[in-house]
Amino acid sequence: MQMISVKGLVKDFGSFRALNGLDMQVKAGEIYGFIGQNGAGKTTTMNILAGLSRPAQGECNVNGRDVTKLTHPGDLNIGYLPEDPKFYPWMTAQETLVYLSGVRKTGHIGDILRWTGLMEAQDRRVGGFSRGMKQRLGIGAALIRNPQLLILDEPSSALDPEGRSEVLHLIKELKNMGKTIVVSTHILDDVERVCDTVGMINAGKMMFEKPLAQLQKESAQPLFDITPVSSVRPEILDEMKMLPGVVSLTKTAKAFTIKAVDKEVSVSVMGFLAEHGIVIESFSLRKARLEDLFLQEVNGK
Ligand SMILES: Nc1ncnc2c1ncn2[C@@H]1O[C@H](COP(=O)(O)OP(=O)(O)OP(=O)(O)O)[C@@H](O)[C@H]1O
Ligand SMILES: [Mg+2]
């Protein structure tokens, strides 16, 4: 079952087009990693999904509802963690959750404190919380209405490795409870640790949406990082792309990376470099990471 189905989303801020025909499909019960560079449009998309902002064009169905036609975002029962959640520093964790739950029954708050690992800290003031504890409290706040879908905007980005591990563990637990989670991040290691599907946005467009397992399989192909002593002419690089066994070539500032079908391709690549008199500072072989796929999409193949 689809939890989110988005087609051709467009969002403008004045004359600037932040989303430019974005498509997105999220299945119920999965953890969907939404990745992209700063300014790519992640928060803009998530605000629209949560019913907090309206697109200029496009279809946007969330949990069976057309969010472009909502009159009140509260009609959508989803949990939303903003990029930078704010709390009253003088309230305790428990008071914060009671306050945010308003007139609703508060019986569920004990569960939330337990799930988020804040039971022992429930009577401490939030002002003294670490960033990781604040993020967990923010996720707790998103859980107050017991939503099926959680939209978490960069829950782990500002945290140290321990805080990140705690938040990632909580996200996995929430999935085990049957929830669907969309989580934006630019920490690709986090995506590799928890996500089922990865969607990559660049300049307001979805570049790809793939199961993590498929991405990892695709990245099983070896990479050669080549740093030439001086820059290589573009037509030579184009010729290298055509060598048998070369899958793609990505250029960075001073170096370029070749993805190949197997390690043996390095022989013909080195032969080609020698033939064209290209002096090399370094040539190294390594395994691909999600980071490479990211750069490949952003910089073109
Ligand atoms: N309210 C706004 N007014 C004008 N421009 C905006 C507004 N909100 C976002 N933008 C612009 O839209 C683009 C997308 O912003 P968005 O915040 O969605 O990116 P993001 O992927 O969440 O980035 P980050 O990783 O930095 O959080 C950016 O260029 C941003 O400057
Ligand atoms: Mg953002």
Side-chain angles (χ1 to χ4, degrees), residues 28 37 84 225 262 286 289:
Q37 291 178 308
D84 184 19
D225 285 324
D262 54 36
R286 67 184 169 93
R289 310 220 50 210

Side-chain angles (χ1 to χ4, degrees), residues 137-204:
L137 182 61
I139 296 175
L143 288 167
I144 283 174
R145 292 177 69 195
N146 200 16
Q148 279 308 103
L149 171 65
L150 285 159
I151 295 183
L152 310 177
D153 197 356
E154 309 250 7
S156 61
S157 301
L159 306 180
D160 64 16
E162 199 188 331
R164 276 170 52 207
S165 283
E166 287 167 0
V167 166
L168 295 177
H169 178 75
L170 173 57
I171 291 173
K172 274 201 234 170
E173 293 282 296
L174 294 170
K175 177 191 157 162
N176 293 339
M177 286 161 57
K179 304 202 183 289
T180 309
I181 300 139
V182 178
V183 48
S184 75
T185 182
H186 55 261
I187 304 177
L188 300 175
D189 185 50
D190 290 357
V191 174
E192 283 171 325
R193 278 161 73 180
V194 299
C195 296
D196 301 298
T197 301
V198 183
M200 196 196 120
I201 180 174
N202 187 40

Side-chain angles (χ1 to χ4, degrees), residues 37-54:
Q37 291 178 308
N38 291 136
K42 303 180 293 296
T43 299
T44 305
T45 306
M46 291 173 124
N47 281 335
I48 294 173
L49 294 175
L52 301 171
S53 156
R54 282 200 189 207

